[in-house]
Structures are given as C-alpha cells and as structure tokens.
Amino acid sequence: GAGVSQSPSNKVTEKGKDVELRCDPISGHTALYWYRQRLGQGLEFLIYFQGNSAPDKSGLPSDRFSAERTGESVSTLTIQRTQQEDSAVYLCASSRLGTSGGARETQYFGPGTRLLVL
Amino acid sequence: LAKTTQPISMDSYEGQEVNITCSHNNIATNDYITWYQQFPSQGPRFIIQGYKTKVTNEVASLFIPADRKSSTLSLPRVSLSDTAVYYCLVGEGGGSQGNLIFGKGTKLSVKP
C-alpha cells in the first residue's frame, strides 16, 4: 500500500494476557518508530529502528514491552502480561532515512492500534 | 523531560488567523522544526518544516526567529476542519538517534 498500515485496528484483551501489534511501513523507508498515546495525551516515544542498526529502546516503559523488525520490513510490538495502564493507542511511523538529520525526516504515521486492557 | 513547550489549547473562530508558538530552548544546530497535525482517531500528519526565517506552503506558514529557540505556526483563515491537535517536533540535542520529542500538543478548537 501507499501508506503505513497497522493491525489490528482495535484490540481488547484481559489483564495478564500478551498482545502483538503489527506495523507495515512504507516500502523503502529504513526508519520505523513506535509511539504510545494515552487518551487525551501527547505522543510518547517507545522504540526506533534504523536499518540494521541496533534499535533505540530508550523509550520502552518496562521489560514487558519489546519490539522486533526484520530488515526494513514489518515490525511487531509485543506487550507481555498486559496491565490496565497499557490501554492506549499505539502508533507506528516510518521515515525514509531516519534521524541522522534531527527532525528533518518527515514521519508518516499509521492509523494506530487501539488497545484496551480489561 | 519535555524539550518543547506549547499552549495546551487555543480557541478560534472560522476565518481568523491562528498562531501557535512552540518554545524549544535546547534545539541543536542541525535540527529542523517540524509541525504535525492530528485529528481524532488518526495518526499525526506532516504540516510544515523549517530551519530558519520563514517557510510557507499551501496549508500554513512557519516563522522562526534568528535564535531558533521558538517557532510559530500560522494558519490563515481557519475553518472548522482545522480543529485538531498540533504538535511541534524538534530533534533532541546531542543527535541521539530516534529520541525525537513531540511536544504535548496544542488542541485547537475552531468555532463557527
């Protein structure tokens, strides 16, 4: 497709369950970002992938959160033993080259996955 | 630690010009300033980007003073459809890859 896609669009789970969120970036984009957005709040950076470099995991809130990306393709964000506080919209974005130029690279966002932990 | 500061909310009426200012005192020499717009239930989308002075496109203008410690997004003649949250984005000083900081955003409400 032409844009960033994410699946599922909505996910309802029970506390303690694991969830996997998927992001398909724009073809050819080497950089991929995950953000979390709680209701009525701003974007919270989680993790960043740039090509084959080691990911920047500095934004992950706990060791229950992890993410993988194979090459420059799909990424999966996994949340283990979900808690109610994990309820949020999880946004994925991709950019052509990444952050070597600071904010120069425009990020293209997907529609997000709305996660509700009961 | 937040790297940008924006007003939490602004109200306007259709047809007015709206100016939203973002403070970014720690902006790095090579950093650009980018503004994003987010509608409810959607991901943010790019509006405009600049490095210094003034940039204008079909949607908005961006004014950046010489010291680059702030920037102002200007939306001419807003309409109801401009109601959204506007984010100011700069790269973090020090070139730390990936750790781009979004401001908390300014919620703009346009009234008829």
Side-chain angles (χ1 to χ4, degrees):
Chain A
V4 177
S5 61
Q6 293 185 246
S7 61
S9 54
N10 293 282
K11 176 71 176 179
V12 181
T13 190
E14 294 180 348
K15 178 181 175 181
K17 301 284 189 182
D18 297 351
V19 295
E20 282 189 356
L21 312 179
R22 177 187 170 108
C23 172
D24 285 85
I26 293 173
S27 178
H29 280 193
T30 63
L32 186 147
Y33 313 75
W34 283 98
Y35 294 88
R36 178 170 69 180
Q37 186 172 35
R38 292 195 166 107
L39 185 63
Q41 301 299 310
L43 277 71
E44 177 185 0
F45 167 78
L46 296 178
I47 190 169
Y48 160 75
F49 296 90
Q50 170 66 63
N52 294 318
S53 301
D56 178 349
K57 304 179 181 180
S58 60
L60 295 179
S62 77
D63 58 8
R64 296 188 294 106
F65 288 73
S66 62
E68 293 183 349
R69 186 185 187 196
T70 304
E72 297 181 357
S73 61
V74 171
S75 175
T76 302
L77 177 69
T78 301
I79 308 174
Q80 296 179 312
R81 305 180 302 281
T82 53
Q83 304 294 314
Q84 290 181 332
E85 67 204 40
D86 299 333
S87 296
V89 176
Y90 290 83
L91 291 159
C92 173
S94 70
S95 68
R96 191 169 61 90
L97 295 177
T99 63
S100 58
R104 190 174 307 160
E105 285 291 311
T106 300
Q107 296 183 39
Y108 297 85
F109 284 82
T113 293
R114 287 151 191 79
L115 174 65
L116 177 61
V117 182
L118 301 177
Chain B
L1 182 64
K3 298 296 184 181
T4 63
T5 304
Q6 303 174 233
I8 294 174
S9 64
M10 294 183 69
D11 291 333
S12 183
Y13 292 92
E14 283 190 292
Q16 289 188 332
E17 178 183 81
V18 171
N19 296 307
I20 306 174
T21 297
C22 176
S23 298
H24 28 78
N25 292 321
N26 296 326
I27 189 169
T29 302
N30 295 329
D31 285 336
Y32 279 61
I33 300 155
T34 311
W35 284 79
Y36 287 79
Q37 175 190 56
Q38 185 178 27
F39 296 115
S41 301
Q42 295 185 24
R45 69 172 188 174
F46 172 89
I47 301 177
I48 196 167
Q49 184 180 79
Y51 182 81
K52 62 180 180 180
T53 63
K54 176 183 175 182
V55 179
T56 297
N57 62 21
E58 65 278 6
V59 176
S61 293
L62 180 60
F63 298 92
I64 306 169
D67 66 6
R68 303 200 330 120
K69 293 186 176 181
S70 67
S71 58
T72 298
L73 175 72
S74 181
L75 305 172
R77 300 178 297 281
V78 294
S79 63
L80 296 177
S81 63
D82 292 317
T83 294
V85 178
Y86 293 82
Y87 294 95
C88 168
L89 174 64
V90 300
E92 184 182 25
S96 174
Q97 283 198 7
N99 203 357
L100 298 177
I101 305 296
F102 276 73
K104 292 192 178 297
T106 298
K107 184 176 182 179
L108 173 65
S109 298
V110 180
K111 303 174 183 178

